[in-house]
Amino acid sequence: MKTPKFNPKLFKAVLFDMDGVLVDSMPYHFISWFEVLRKYDIRVTPGDIFEREGAKWNEVIKFAFKRDRRPLSPETEKKIFEERRALFAKYFKRYIFAGAFIILEALKNRGFSLGLVSGSSLDEAKKMLPEEIYGLFDVKITGDMVKRGKPYPDPYLIAAKKLNISPSQ
């Protein structure tokens, strides 16, 4: 079977994840999850966290507690989230992957619409991305804007809708 030839005219937009794609933030996500969950005698590995990259924060907590057969109250869930957010802010050092701005700007200059689709919150995206990158995106869909986050396609479908394009474009 022959692979179809790529036709850029079929595409109108490019959607980007943030963590691990534009920003090297995954090590900071891991260490903040590791430290906060350790207080509850729950151990997570980098694989546990990286496999759930893009998932909503409460899904990560529920995974860890369920895996270790630990009870989880809504109050504890909220407390863990706030502690993890504070630890992430404490440790995070911005490192934008080399070439990210150049690629985004080149796509924009070629007429593509750009969408940011991240499991992080909108506040985190604003803090993590420099304004010259953040401002290139026509739409921003973050974990706090959707009911079902990644790995469900919902955030991407919402971004396509807001860009007035079909998902195939």
Side-chain angles (χ1 to χ4, degrees):
M1 176 182 228
K2 194 173 182 180
T3 304
K5 194 170 184 178
F6 175 73
N7 183 352
K9 292 179 184 174
L10 297 176
F11 301 100
K12 295 184 178 180
V14 181
L15 306 180
F16 285 86
D17 188 9
M18 181 178 67
D19 295 295
V21 175
L22 299 172
V23 181
D24 189 11
S25 55
M26 291 309 295
Y28 306 107
H29 282 295
F30 166 70
I31 195 66
S32 59
W33 280 118
F34 179 84
E35 285 195 17
V36 74
L37 291 171
R38 181 173 62 176
K39 294 178 182 180
Y40 297 86
D41 201 30
I42 294 175
R43 302 281 190 242
V44 290
T45 66
D48 293 332
I49 301 305
F50 293 4
E51 287 173 11
R52 284 155 189 81
E53 189 283 319
K56 295 182 79 154
W57 61 267
N58 60 333
E59 295 300 322
V60 176
I61 296 168
K62 287 176 183 175
F63 154 78
F65 274 72
K66 184 177 180 179
R67 182 199 62 196
D68 286 13
R69 296 185 175 100
R70 307 291 294 279
L72 177 64
S73 69
E75 297 79 24
T76 301
E77 188 176 301
K78 185 171 173 50
K79 182 179 176 188
I80 290 170
F81 171 69
E82 293 302 329
E83 289 176 20
R84 194 224 52 100
R85 180 183 283 199
L87 285 169
F88 182 82
K90 175 183 167 183
Y91 292 127
F92 178 69
K93 303 288 185 257
R94 183 188 305 175
Y95 178 79
I96 305 300
F97 285 114
F101 179 76
I102 293 167
I103 290 168
L104 293 168
E105 190 175 50
L107 289 167
K108 194 79 166 167
N109 289 339
R110 285 177 173 79
F112 288 94
S113 295
L114 299 178
L116 178 68
V117 180
S118 176
S120 293
S121 70
L122 185 61
D123 284 343
E124 285 178 332
K126 287 178 184 176
K127 291 174 188 171
M128 291 170 68
L129 291 172
E131 180 53 41
E132 65 267 15
I133 288 180
Y134 185 82
L136 288 172
F137 291 100
D138 301 292
V139 299
K140 294 122 183 146
I141 305 299
T142 56
D144 53 343
M145 297 176 173
V146 296
K147 184 173 181 165
R148 291 190 323 169
K150 300 174 196 173
Y152 295 101
D154 303 20
Y156 295 100
L157 297 173
I158 292 167
K161 185 175 183 177
K162 286 189 176 257
L163 289 168
N164 286 326
I165 61 169
S166 73
S168 65
Q169 296 175 307

